[in-house]
């Protein structure tokens, strides 16, 4: 979407801001204002906390992954279990927060975008719970790939609108959701799914996800008597990662690594690792690192995990990378699949393929002795892998064909 206007609120260094068409400028400022209000509103925070505990399943446990750790040469790996939340991932934290905010603002309807359908399902769930109409925009290609999630959203009472423009995937769905919002702002809230988009979304979504880090801090202190040495999380837009990291940013001794989708490998060009080929640009209302060609056109991305397959990264991550506070690495499709298998067999947990990227980074670091074997580590298990069974089985099948072909 073209930049029409930009101002300073919601800046993270040179990143972030508000780059929206004129018609959305006032609604975005109204939303920023409403968000500032509820930040300090005791009654709102109590209602949200109550929903998170009695509906979504918080607090989530911190699990010592003993056998997984031993296998990769790291003895103190803990998993923050966002996979155990209602709807199977961290996205419900943000969806509930924004749905409650929308209701408080007097809105009766929500629009959302979805790629793989995970944010669409979380939004439809939160809207059903809170009593709001829900319209989800989804690319036709994604609808075809993610049938069960389309059916889930419909069962939850949401309307799913197919998007036939562009590549018919997530970025086109975001364009359509923004277009709808432009025409319906009086009644409608746009429920954005990650720490992306114009201010206040990156800050607001981070706030709603920071519950992950706040719980982790208390839990690891109780378990180990001190703060962790290392935090690891996968980075799509970056909401589960910033949700874990934010609470620890001031603790200089706590190292942090965000893991992007290395796809078929950085050199192949088929990946979604924005920091591997950094280039600043504006996409969907914010200034950040964007995968683009030399003419500034958005590049097509690839990852085995739909949740990491997006050409831009949250602006706060761009700033944290620039300042050196957080390191960003990538893991390939193949590494993520191996980590998926390993966690399943050593711990009895099927991780989401997104989360498997964080585990893959740990496995690689453990094997290379790049991390001390007794380092106290927390990895964010952002979601469960049941949704990925089809993809995992298909990848196995292809690998088997490859090896028999070669051999
Ligand atoms: C959507 C999703 C992600 C990626 O989104 P972030 O905003 O980067 O957290 C990661 N893990 C799971 C399980 C997801 O569903």
């Amino acid at each position: 979407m073209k930049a029409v206007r930009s101002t300073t609120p919601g800046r993270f260094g040179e990143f972030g801001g508000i780059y929206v068409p004129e018609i959305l400028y006032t609604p975005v400022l109204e939303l920023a204002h409403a968000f500032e209000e509820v930040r300090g509103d005791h009654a709102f925070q109590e209602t949200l906390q109550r929903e998170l505990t009695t509906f979504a399943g918080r607090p989530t446990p911190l699990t010592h992954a003993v056998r997984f750790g031993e296998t990769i040469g790291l003895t103190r790996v803990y998993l923050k279990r966002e996979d155990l939340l209602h709807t199977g991932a961290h996205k419900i934290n943000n969806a509930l927060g924004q749905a409650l905010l929308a209701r408080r603002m007097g809105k009766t309807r929500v629009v959302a975008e979805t790629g793989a359908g995970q944010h669409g399902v979380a939004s439809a769930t939160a809207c059903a719970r809170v009593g709001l109409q829900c319209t989800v925009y989804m690319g036709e290609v994604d609808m075809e790939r993610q049938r069960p999630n389309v059916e889930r959203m419909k069962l939850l009472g949401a309307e799913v609108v197919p998007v036939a423009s562009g590549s018919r995937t997530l970025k086109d769905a975001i364009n359509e959701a923004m277009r709808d919002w432009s025409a319906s702002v009086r009644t409608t809230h746009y429920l954005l799914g990650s720490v992306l988009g114009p201010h206040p979304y990156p800050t607001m979504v981070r706030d709603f996800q920071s519950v992950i880090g706040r719980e982790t801090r208390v839990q690891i202190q109780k378990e180990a008597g001190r703060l962790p040495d290392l935090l690891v999380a996968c980075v799509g837009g970056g909401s589960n990662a910033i949700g874990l990291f934010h609470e620890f940013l001031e603790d200089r001794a706590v190292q942090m690594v965000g893991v992007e989708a290395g796809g078929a490998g950085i050199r192949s060009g088929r990946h979604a690792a924005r920091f591997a080929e950094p280039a600043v640009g504006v996409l969907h209302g914010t200034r950040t690192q964007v995968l683009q060609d030399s003419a500034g056109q958005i590049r097509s991305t690839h990852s085995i995990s739909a949740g990491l397959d997006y050409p831009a990264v949250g602006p706060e991550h761009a700033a944290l990378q620039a300042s050196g506070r957080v390191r960003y690495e990538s893991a390939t499709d193949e590494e993520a699949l191996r980590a998926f298998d390993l966690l399943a067999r050593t711990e009895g947990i099927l991780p989401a393929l997104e989360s498997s990227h964080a585990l893959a980074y740990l496995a690689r670091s453990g094997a290379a002795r790049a991390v001390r074997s007794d380092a106290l580590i927390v990895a964010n298990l952002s979601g469960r892998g049941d949704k990925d069974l089809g993809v995992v089985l298909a990848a196995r099948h292809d690998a088997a064909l490859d090896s028999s072909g070669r051999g």
Side-chain angles (χ1 to χ4, degrees):
M1 202 159 269
K2 209 159 70 194
V4 180
R5 206 161 162 180
S6 120
T7 51
T8 41
R11 283 274 169 192
F12 303 93
E14 63 167 304
F15 305 104
I18 301 176
Y19 293 84
V20 296
E22 198 72 37
I23 190 165
L24 283 180
Y25 194 69
T26 304
V28 158
L29 288 191
E30 273 170 18
L31 178 61
H33 182 72
F35 166 60
E36 281 307 322
E37 262 181 26
V38 300
R39 253 180 152 175
D41 183 315
H42 195 66
F44 180 88
Q45 296 300 335
E46 218 160 65
T47 306
L48 174 57
Q49 191 54 40
R50 193 177 152 73
E51 287 303 301
L52 290 175
T53 53
T54 67
F55 177 70
R58 303 213 71 91
T60 58
L62 190 67
T63 302
H64 188 183
V66 178
R67 284 176 20 85
F68 174 76
E70 273 171 3
T71 311
I72 62 174
L74 301 171
T75 57
R76 304 179 80 191
V77 175
Y78 287 82
L79 305 174
K80 182 58 173 161
R81 300 293 306 280
E82 297 296 293
D83 61 311
L84 293 178
L85 286 173
H86 182 42
T87 67
H90 68 291
K91 287 194 171 76
I92 193 73
N93 300 323
N94 169 53
L96 278 172
Q98 286 196 49
L100 288 170
L101 178 60
R103 191 173 70 181
R104 183 186 149 114
M105 290 175 77
K107 311 281 183 186
T108 54
R109 176 174 177 264
V110 156
V111 290
E113 80 295 337
T114 198
Q118 294 305 112
H119 175 56
V121 169
S123 298
T125 300
C127 287
R129 171 76 182 161
V130 168
L132 295 163
Q133 268 179 277
C134 183
T135 301
V136 180
Y137 287 89
M138 189 169 186
E140 281 181 344
V141 170
D142 289 334
M143 282 181 76
E144 203 46 57
R145 288 193 287 206
Q146 306 287 339
R147 268 289 139 206
N149 274 341
V150 174
E151 297 309 329
R152 263 179 213 120
M153 287 184 269
K154 289 183 179 166
L155 288 169
L156 291 161
E159 175 196 18
V160 182
V161 181
V163 174
S165 57
S167 56
R168 297 180 291 152
T169 57
L170 177 62
K171 84 177 158 50
D172 313 289
I174 297 179
N175 288 337
E176 284 309 313
M178 282 190 160
R179 206 159 291 154
D180 179 317
W181 195 36
S182 306
S184 63
V185 281
R186 220 175 39 78
T187 58
T188 302
H189 171 69
Y190 179 20
L191 207 171
L192 191 60
S194 190
V195 285
L196 295 160
H199 176 69
Y201 287 102
T203 306
M204 178 167 68
V205 177
R206 179 195 72 199
D207 262 34
F208 288 139
Q209 293 293 1
S210 291
V211 65
I212 301 172
R214 286 198 303 275
E215 286 177 7
T216 299
R217 190 179 189 97
V218 174
Q219 290 169 322
I220 196 76
Q221 289 272 18
K222 188 160 175 232
E223 175 80 18
R226 65 182 183 89
L227 294 184
D229 299 308
L230 175 65
L231 303 175
V232 182
C234 66
V235 180
S239 69
N240 87 88
I242 203 75
L244 176 64
F245 296 169
H246 188 252
E247 181 71 17
F248 297 93
L249 285 176
E250 303 296 315
D251 302 298
R252 306 312 294 188
V254 180
Q255 292 184 39
M256 303 176 192
V257 174
V259 186
E260 299 185 283
I266 302 304
R267 253 170 290 158
S268 73
R270 297 183 63 239
H271 62 82
R274 291 71 41 115
F275 291 120
E277 299 174 59
V280 177
V282 169
L283 184 64
H284 297 136
T286 192
R287 186 166 193 272
T288 187
Q289 299 289 358
V290 180
L291 274 177
Q292 52 192 299
D293 64 21
S294 53
Q297 290 298 303
I298 305 305
R299 267 171 46 182
S300 62
T301 53
H302 166 79
S303 171
I304 194 161
S305 67
L308 304 185
D309 197 354
Y310 178 71
V313 67
E316 189 168 10
H317 286 287
L320 289 169
Q321 192 255 356
S323 74
R325 179 64 187 94
V326 179
R327 215 148 43 81
Y328 295 84
E329 305 272 348
S330 64
T332 63
D333 290 350
E334 219 177 289
E335 289 175 308
L337 283 166
R338 277 206 300 272
F340 177 101
D341 275 351
L342 188 60
L343 195 75
R345 289 178 199 189
T346 55
E347 299 293 345
I349 300 170
L350 298 179
L353 278 174
E354 289 84 0
S355 325
S356 300
H357 286 70
L359 302 172
Y361 164 78
L362 275 184
R364 194 168 71 206
S365 306
R369 301 189 189 282
V371 175
R372 267 188 29 213
S373 67
D374 63 346
L376 186 59
I377 300 168
V378 177
N380 204 11
L381 206 67
S382 54
R384 64 168 182 240
D386 307 58
K387 68 181 176 63
D388 295 318
L389 286 190
V391 175
V392 169
L393 294 180
R396 280 252 177 84
H397 182 71
D398 289 352
L401 287 182
D402 272 6
S403 59
S404 64
R406 271 190 231 114

